């Protein structure tokens, strides 16, 4: 009996020692859309892949790019459009997107009807609050160009992330840039009536871009392809768990962020699933991959407001080398 107990303990210790530590740099704080990653931890998907994953909150959808490019983190979560510009300005930097998560980006302008916001044109003559590191603000020039907006007629107020929604709630700005599922619900929580809020989802107004993706350090990925493949599979399983039962994964988020509002974060997660992750294209083509023609089209659109230093090369920005053919199937 002692021998069997001792042997089991040795096997457990060996299994624990075999786990590879893998820090993951998130784009934002621990809100509803982060729950799938905690589900991948708590439901054993990462450990089944031999990984001990730790997750660090971020400060915006550009935040993880330099962290991964410098090798401080082997994997992260960031806006692919910002990654494209980063790689254009830092050619050869060892970072690339390896799994698309937000097939339809949540980049949005959220405004108040009572302050005159109804459509893109109504932004002219108004004050727009925009955090400089915000992924939605990074794409605003494309949104403005696609809708014929005169930027000289919009007063842009640089704001911090903590003050963005409060400024909208207090009426200090008429609209803000942000992720649709973040800023809308945050403003509503601060007391702005939901029927006074207007969400201008950039993807509905001519912006044909992808959103946030899992990015990897290319040096690490080339040296450890199986680790990256296992990591991406576990993430897909975490999202599948969240899609199958959003309520079941929210307690995993609350454990890491006890101050959060569980009902609010579940709604935020459900909005991200419906509008950004489990899209019609993903249902038909699998989760994680991209449409090459759409990526090339998005590069053309980025070029309308951004002067590329180097000729854009889609192969530099996204790789499917670590995905199964046809992507991952998510829960129905």
């Amino acid at each position: 009996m002692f021998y069997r107990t001792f042997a089991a303990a040795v096997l457990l210790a060996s299994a624990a020692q075999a786990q590879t530590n893998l820090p993951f740099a998130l784009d934002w704080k621990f809100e509803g859309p982060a729950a799938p990653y905690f589900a991948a931890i708590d439901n054993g998907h990462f450990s089944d892949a031999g990984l001990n994953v730790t997750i660090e909150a971020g400060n915006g959808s550009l935040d993880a790019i330099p962290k991964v490019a410098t090798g401080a983190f082997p994997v992260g979560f960031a806006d692919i459009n910002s990654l494209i510009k980063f790689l254009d300005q830092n050619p050869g930097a060892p970072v690339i997107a390896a799994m698309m998560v937000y097939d339809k980006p949540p980049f949005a302008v959220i405004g108040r009807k009572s302050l005159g916001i109804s459509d893109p044109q109504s932004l002219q003559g108004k004050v727009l609050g925009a955090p400089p590191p915000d992924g939605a603000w990074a794409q605003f020039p494309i949104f403005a160009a696609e809708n014929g907006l005169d930027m000289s007629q919009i007063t842009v107020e640089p704001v911090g992330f903590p003050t963005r929604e409060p400024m909208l709630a207090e009426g200090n700005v008429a609209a803000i840039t942000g992720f649709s599922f973040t800023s809308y619900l945050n403003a509503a929580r601060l007391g702005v009536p939901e029927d006074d809020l207007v969400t201008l989802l950039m993807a509905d107004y001519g912006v044909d871009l992808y959103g946030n993706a899992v990015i990897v350090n290319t040096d690490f990925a080339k040296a450890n392809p199986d680790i990256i493949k296992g990591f991406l599979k576990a993430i897909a399983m975490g999202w599948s768990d969240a899609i199958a039962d959003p309520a079941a994964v929210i307690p995993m988020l609350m454990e890491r962020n006890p101050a959060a509002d569980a009902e609010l974060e579940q709604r935020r997660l459900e909005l991200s699933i419906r509008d950004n992750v489990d899209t019609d294209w993903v249902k038909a083509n699998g989760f994680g991959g991209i449409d090459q023609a759409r990526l090339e089209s998005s590069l053309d659109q980025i070029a309308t407001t951004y002067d590329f230093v180097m000729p854009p090369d889609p192969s530099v920005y996204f790789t499917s080398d670590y995905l199964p053919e046809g992507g991952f199937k998510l829960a129905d």
Side-chain angles (χ1 to χ4, degrees), residues 138-147 206-207 209 298 301-302 304-305:
Q139 311 317 322
F140 188 84
I142 295 174
F143 172 77
E146 289 294 320
N147 292 279
V207 178
L209 302 178
S298 74
Q301 197 166 61
I302 291 171
T304 64
T305 60

Side-chain angles (χ1 to χ4, degrees), residues 97-316:
M99 170 189 258
M100 184 55 59
V101 177
Y102 294 157
D103 176 62
K104 186 176 183 180
F107 310 135
V109 175
I110 296 88
R112 295 182 61 175
K113 294 178 185 176
S114 61
L115 297 177
I117 303 301
S118 58
D119 56 21
Q121 283 66 37
S122 67
L123 293 168
Q124 296 183 149
K126 305 297 194 306
V127 179
L128 174 71
D134 177 43
W137 168 243
Q139 311 317 322
F140 188 84
I142 295 174
F143 172 77
E146 289 294 320
N147 292 279
L149 303 185
D150 182 351
M151 289 295 294
S152 70
Q153 299 299 310
I154 301 173
T155 301
V156 179
E157 180 74 25
V159 300
F161 286 118
T163 60
R164 175 176 54 185
E165 289 85 12
M167 289 186 72
L168 181 65
E170 293 162 8
N172 295 325
V173 297
I176 56 177
T177 63
F179 277 16
S180 54
F181 51 70
T182 295
S183 292
Y184 177 90
L185 292 177
N186 286 355
R189 188 184 188 191
L190 289 170
V192 181
E194 291 198 35
D195 61 5
D196 188 35
L197 287 169
V198 176
T199 299
L200 306 177
L201 194 65
M202 294 183 188
D204 293 337
Y205 289 91
V207 178
D208 186 27
L209 302 178
Y210 278 105
N212 278 34
V214 175
I215 61 175
V216 301
N217 181 279
T218 54
D219 293 337
F220 180 89
K222 288 175 183 175
N224 303 278
D226 290 339
I227 288 177
I228 297 299
K229 289 177 182 178
F231 176 75
L232 298 182
K233 179 180 179 181
I235 283 183
M237 294 174 74
W239 272 104
S240 197
D241 292 344
I243 291 168
D245 191 352
V249 302
I250 290 300
M252 304 173 189
L253 171 75
M254 297 300 297
E255 182 180 337
R256 279 82 176 185
N257 185 8
D261 179 325
E263 183 178 350
L264 179 76
E265 297 311 329
Q266 181 175 332
R267 189 174 174 199
R268 202 188 310 275
L269 171 62
E270 290 169 348
L271 286 175
S272 71
I273 290 170
R274 184 194 71 189
D275 295 338
N276 312 116
V277 177
D278 198 21
T279 64
D280 290 341
W281 190 90
V282 168
K283 287 183 172 73
N285 298 279
F287 173 70
I290 60 167
D291 180 332
Q292 194 67 25
R294 179 181 164 193
L295 178 61
E296 292 173 3
S297 174
S298 74
L299 293 174
D300 291 339
Q301 197 166 61
I302 291 171
T304 64
T305 60
Y306 173 79
D307 292 327
F308 279 94
V309 178
M310 306 289 291
D313 179 358
S315 68
V316 172

